[in-house]
Amino acid sequence: MDQNSDIAAVPLLAANGVSKSFGHVQALDSVNIAVHAGEIVALLGENGAGKSTFIKILAGVYAPDAGELLVDGRPVRFGSPAEALNAGVATVYQDLALVEQRDVASNLFLGREFTKGIFVDRRRMYKEAEIAVESLDFHIPSVRTTVDLLSGGQRQAVAISRAVAMGGRIVILDEPTAALGVRESAAVLEMINNLREQGRGVILISHNLQHVLPLADRIFVLHRGRPAGVVTSEEATAEIVVRLIMGDTSV
Amino acid sequence: MDHGLVVALVAAFVFFSVASPFFLSTRNFLIIGQSVSVIGILAAALTIGLIAGVLDLSVGSTIGVVSVVAALLAEAGASVVVVVGAAVSVGLAVGGLNTFLIVKLGIDSIIATLATASVFFGTGLILAQGKTIYAADEYLGSFVSARPLGIPTPVILLALTYVAGYVLLAKAKLGWHIYATGGNRSAADRSGIPTKRILAFVLLLSALAATVGGLILAGRTLSGSGLYGRFLNIDALTAVLLGGIGLSGGRGKIEQTLVGVLFIGILANGLTLLNTPSFYQAVVRGFAFLLAIMLDAHRRRSMER
């Protein structure tokens, strides 16, 4: 595939040989990932496998000790989460980072409000917020509702919409269904599927194999900070993936 | 908006209108406005601070220091520019110290300002050697007692404060960032909002509000004392909490605080008109504060359902 590469074959985001240590602890050792436009890749591993550290490097929170990040095939260095966001990498953290007391529109454009001079351009904000929410097809009562009145799934939807509204071409989702019931999980997974259909690249971190297996195009597994294997959706079975997660190298 | 307080305000208004023949008059309303001007300005600043997630308890003693500095300089024959300039410098120093403790060192704002309040209170007493300094700048005195268009200057300052506060909180981008900082600081940080600068701004604002309050008191009483402003903290905070701003940050509107301020003003004025001795008023003030705290607790419980 690399030989007859066209534009679509260049990953939106790739990490090659990324390593990171904290003191004497090697959190990541030569880890790779690549996500293309219109692709959902899952990142799996046990607690402490290095998933959080890895996505924080992708999100610009940490700088890697070694290895490189590529956006659209070009090497990049993120000095801060804002720089990652400017390059199109938006991260939805598990805590969602929403201001619950504020309404949906305020949260969607948090820190990036539309302005006229020093004032907030409310009209434009609410209009753009409605467009952003509608495009992801998830029911939110109104963009003027405060977030503390929303359900867990609706909050997740707001956080994902924000990642998109802020220009995320690559959306990293950290355990998006962890706190949700069956019905809301299904709706959020549908929303993630929509991201793929819009041609975005998605990196999905989840413990729930039932959620990951039907959705992911490829699955990257980490074990103790090292790459434990990559499986495509065709070859992925729960058994294989679990064995990789446990560090079984015979797979 | 909490309708309970609006109802209470109207009830107090009607009650005192019936109970006292002097209550319902333009003159009395201007007296009420004047009596709440300093508390009202402080309450506006506390509101903005609480929305951003910090409570500045040092505003009362800052007023004392400012009034002493203004009186001492006037006594020494300094010009009005020097008097006001020195007062503003004191305000900036106070705000700077609070910012250093709260933003730079990360000390909880209530604890930090409880400590600095004591320092400023003592500084005011030391500077005045425990006395009241009877001296005031001539221009400051006449500015505070002036009545352009028949309205006392402090009332005009009060009104301007609330208009500016409303524009800041409801309209300006900075105001939206103040809400975000108080609502979820880590989320605001991750969204690129400069939360440290916002907290510094808010703390400087409350110190400068106290400076204005100190100058108003110095100009009104033509004197300065470290004791001025001692109860103004609690009065201002009562007004803020009665208005329903809450201690948890990230929510509230400055209009609510104005209603709380007017309620306290009408209550005090009405009780005075009904010849209630001032020492009873201290008890009423304490109960009003307790009521405000209870309302806040109730509101938070009902929000959690």
Side-chain angles (χ1 to χ4, degrees):
Chain A
M1 190 163 113
D2 280 343
Q3 270 66 38
N4 49 20
S5 65
D6 53 31
I7 305 261
V10 176
L12 287 179
L13 175 67
N16 295 329
V18 166
S19 300
K20 178 77 183 172
S21 300
F22 297 101
H24 294 296
V25 181
Q26 176 110 33
L28 291 176
D29 186 2
S30 304
V31 177
N32 309 314
I33 202 166
V35 56
H36 297 78
E39 187 181 40
I40 297 175
V41 301
L43 181 62
L44 301 182
E46 283 196 282
N47 289 333
K51 294 176 311 226
S52 300
T53 306
F54 192 35
I55 62 166
K56 279 180 180 161
I57 287 173
L58 299 178
V61 176
Y62 298 145
D65 296 337
E68 62 173 0
L69 300 183
L70 303 160
V71 171
D72 299 321
R74 281 185 293 274
V76 287
R77 254 172 203 289
F78 299 145
S80 68
E83 284 179 27
L85 194 53
N86 285 335
V89 182
T91 306
V92 178
Y93 293 97
Q94 205 172 348
D95 74 352
L96 304 183
L98 297 172
V99 183
E100 302 199 345
Q101 300 91 332
R102 302 291 277 167
D103 66 16
V104 171
S106 312
N107 273 285
L108 284 178
F109 301 106
L110 191 67
R112 300 194 160 201
E113 295 81 4
F114 294 105
T115 51
K116 277 182 184 165
I118 63 164
F119 298 114
V120 172
D121 187 348
R122 282 169 168 271
R123 209 194 225 175
R124 178 144 180 237
M125 283 228 345
Y126 287 107
K127 209 168 119 192
E128 298 279 348
E130 271 166 25
I131 294 169
V133 168
E134 273 169 27
S135 77
L136 283 166
D137 200 25
F138 195 102
H139 178 70
I140 301 284
S142 153
V143 292
R144 289 166 197 272
T145 312
T146 55
V147 168
D148 55 6
L149 297 175
L150 300 180
S151 70
Q154 289 169 330
R155 290 175 196 210
Q156 188 72 47
V158 171
I160 295 174
S161 302
R162 175 169 65 191
V164 171
M166 286 185 172
R169 293 181 300 128
I170 302 115
V171 180
I172 302 174
L173 300 162
D174 190 4
E175 295 283 0
T177 56
L180 304 181
V182 176
R183 214 196 202 158
E184 290 212 311
S185 290
V188 166
L189 294 173
E190 181 57 36
M191 193 173 171
I192 295 169
N193 198 37
N194 284 345
L195 293 177
R196 167 166 57 194
E197 279 166 17
Q198 291 172 357
R200 296 174 208 281
V202 177
I203 298 177
L204 174 64
I205 291 104
S206 176
H207 273 96
N208 192 326
L209 286 183
Q210 273 183 302
H211 290 165
V212 169
L213 288 178
L215 204 58
D217 297 301
R218 281 180 304 146
I219 296 170
F220 287 75
V221 183
L222 290 181
H223 181 72
R224 295 188 181 167
R226 291 164 186 269
V230 187
V231 281
T232 62
S233 57
E234 294 86 52
E235 50 192 46
T237 64
E239 196 207 332
I240 290 175
V241 173
V242 169
R243 280 166 67 185
L244 287 173
I245 290 173
M246 304 299 280
D248 185 342
T249 48
S250 66
V251 190
Chain B
M1 182 91 192
D2 192 29
H3 298 291
L5 185 64
V6 179
V7 172
L9 181 71
V10 173
F13 191 88
V14 171
F15 173 76
F16 289 125
S17 302
V18 175
S20 165
F22 307 107
F23 182 78
L24 200 58
S25 68
T26 313
R27 187 169 167 274
N28 191 44
F29 290 154
L30 288 178
I31 289 173
I32 293 173
Q34 190 140 19
S35 72
V36 298
S37 57
V38 175
I39 296 169
I41 290 169
L42 291 185
L46 290 185
T47 300
I48 295 168
L50 277 174
I51 291 173
V54 288
L55 176 55
D56 183 353
L57 292 175
S58 70
V59 284
S61 37
T62 303
I63 283 186
V65 178
V66 167
S67 76
V68 168
V69 168
L72 284 174
L73 286 172
E75 198 179 42
S79 75
V80 65
V81 177
V82 174
V83 170
V84 173
V88 171
S89 307
V90 169
L92 291 175
V94 162
L97 179 59
N98 285 338
T99 300
F100 175 74
L101 296 172
I102 295 163
V103 181
K104 187 85 183 168
L105 300 186
I107 299 172
D108 180 85
S109 62
I110 295 179
I111 293 167
T113 56
L114 203 57
T116 57
S118 181
V119 172
F120 304 149
F121 179 63
T123 307
L125 291 178
I126 292 167
L127 287 175
Q129 294 181 311
K131 292 179 295 198
T132 301
I133 311 289
Y134 290 98
D137 181 80
E138 198 185 326
Y139 293 102
L140 183 65
S142 46
F143 176 76
V144 171
S145 55
R147 291 170 158 263
L149 304 169
I151 303 167
T153 350
V155 177
I156 295 174
L157 290 175
L158 178 70
L160 287 177
T161 302
Y162 277 84
V163 171
Y166 172 76
V167 171
L168 170 68
L169 288 176
K171 306 285 178 194
K173 182 176 166 182
L174 176 59
W176 286 48
H177 289 179
I178 288 174
Y179 280 101
T181 302
N184 185 343
R185 190 167 166 197
S186 116
D189 270 329
R190 279 178 275 169
S191 298
I193 293 173
T195 58
K196 289 187 171 182
R197 254 188 288 163
I198 282 170
L199 292 178
F201 170 76
V202 160
L203 289 165
L204 279 179
L205 212 57
S206 67
L208 289 177
T211 305
V212 172
L215 287 173
I216 291 176
L217 277 187
R220 185 189 293 161
T221 62
L222 303 179
S223 62
S225 160
L227 298 176
Y228 290 171
R230 234 180 343 162
F231 296 116
L232 296 180
N233 268 350
I234 192 170
D235 283 353
L237 193 56
T238 304
V240 172
L241 293 178
L242 275 176
I245 297 304
L247 294 169
S248 52
R251 61 174 104 232
K253 293 177 178 169
I254 207 159
E255 304 91 285
Q256 297 169 242
T257 298
L258 186 59
V259 176
V261 166
L262 292 177
F263 180 75
I264 287 196
I266 286 175
L267 194 67
N269 175 268
L271 291 173
T272 306
L273 289 181
L274 297 180
N275 292 318
T276 314
S278 60
F279 35 86
Y280 283 99
Q281 292 194 20
V283 176
V284 172
R285 180 160 49 201
F287 273 115
F289 187 57
L290 279 176
L291 180 72
I293 294 171
M294 277 154 44
L295 276 177
D296 181 45
H298 172 71
R299 231 178 259 120
R300 259 190 276 182
R301 264 199 307 275
S302 62
M303 238 177 284
E304 284 159 13
R305 268 173 290 242

